[in-house]
Amino acid sequence: MVIREHSWRESDYEWKKDIRQMEKYLQELPNKRTPNEILGIEGICSNIYFRAFGYMLKCDFTFQGRNRRPPKDPINVLLSLAYTFLTKEVCSVLAAESFEPYLGFLHGIRYGRKSLALDMIEEFRQPIVDRLVILLFNKRMIGKYDFDIPQDGRILLNEDGFKKFCTEYERWMSGRNTASGEKSFRRCIREQIAALKKAVSKKELYQPYSWGKRHVPDQL
């Protein structure tokens, strides 16, 4: 978990309290029987997580929690963009394995929503997107000059910022991560979706991807 493995030495934030809260909700999951109940727990823990997420960032921007459509600050702009890229990656692999991306397990059917892809990216949000965004801001790889604010008040990643993001995203996905040993995140995604196909076809138990306990370097 990103919160547990982050270096908090220079912070007064009580992150262990957040861990205890989420562990408490995790214990309630076996008693939940419907997708809505499960997603309710996910929503509560997501709010707790993103509260801590803001304290992991060391940059010129403030982060008051997750927002979208449109994102209201540079950090949410980058999170939304990275989640969009990740969703497209997952959809591509699902299609290669002959899955219907609009039919999910937890996310219900809604016109235009690729529910199965949304189910699958839940396993990869923190290890791929959130860690990458922390890296980009904390190492000043992306900063205030990479964003534009038009007169309508929107916050946009400009052309130079977009090029920087694409370059670093590609490096991250193709093997920069060390958490999976020699595996790239793209390979991890392919393996998980292949495992899902096997679980469905053979009616076996599916084991979600787990990033596990690994150290998040200080620069993150």
Side-chain angles (χ1 to χ4, degrees), residues 22-90:
M22 285 191 281
E23 287 176 342
K24 176 183 176 182
Y25 285 111
L26 182 62
Q27 292 173 358
E28 297 180 12
L29 273 180
N31 299 321
K32 304 304 178 182
R33 294 292 181 265
T34 68
N36 284 339
E37 289 178 330
I38 295 172
L39 289 174
I41 294 293
E42 187 271 341
I44 294 172
C45 290
S46 178
N47 288 335
I48 297 171
Y49 167 73
F50 278 114
R51 181 176 62 203
F53 186 84
Y55 288 92
M56 299 184 220
L57 295 161
K58 302 172 185 176
C59 59
D60 298 326
F61 308 114
T62 59
F63 180 78
Q64 302 296 328
R66 188 77 177 100
N67 59 67
R68 57 186 76 82
R69 299 176 185 173
K72 299 177 182 178
D73 58 76
I75 295 166
N76 274 293
V77 167
L78 222 58
L79 283 171
S80 291
L81 179 61
Y83 287 142
T84 298
F85 274 40
L86 177 59
T87 302
K88 290 183 180 298
E89 296 250 8
V90 170

Side-chain angles (χ1 to χ4, degrees), residues 3-26:
I3 297 177
R4 194 188 302 276
E5 298 306 312
H6 182 70
S7 176
W8 294 98
R9 288 194 300 268
E10 298 179 2
S11 174
D12 295 328
Y13 185 70
E14 297 182 2
W15 60 274
K16 292 183 180 180
K17 181 178 179 181
D18 289 338
I19 296 292
R20 289 194 295 270
Q21 281 187 295
M22 285 191 281
E23 287 176 342
K24 176 183 176 182
Y25 285 111
L26 182 62

Side-chain angles (χ1 to χ4, degrees), residues 23 60 97 105 107 124 130 136 143 159 183 185 191-192:
E23 287 176 342
D60 298 326
E97 293 287 356
F105 295 100
H107 291 83
F124 295 99
D130 299 353
L136 293 177
E159 183 176 353
K183 294 181 183 180
F185 279 128
E191 289 181 352
Q192 283 304 118

Side-chain angles (χ1 to χ4, degrees), residues 163-202:
K163 289 179 180 178
K164 291 178 185 178
F165 170 80
C166 290
T167 298
E168 294 306 322
Y169 176 85
E170 181 61 29
R171 290 177 62 194
W172 192 250
M173 292 298 295
S174 61
R176 177 171 175 167
N177 62 299
T178 58
S180 300
E182 297 180 354
K183 294 181 183 180
S184 70
F185 279 128
R186 285 201 173 98
R187 179 177 173 183
C188 291
I189 291 172
R190 291 196 301 269
E191 289 181 352
Q192 283 304 118
I193 292 177
L196 177 65
K197 183 176 183 179
K198 180 180 178 182
V200 171
S201 61
K202 296 187 176 182

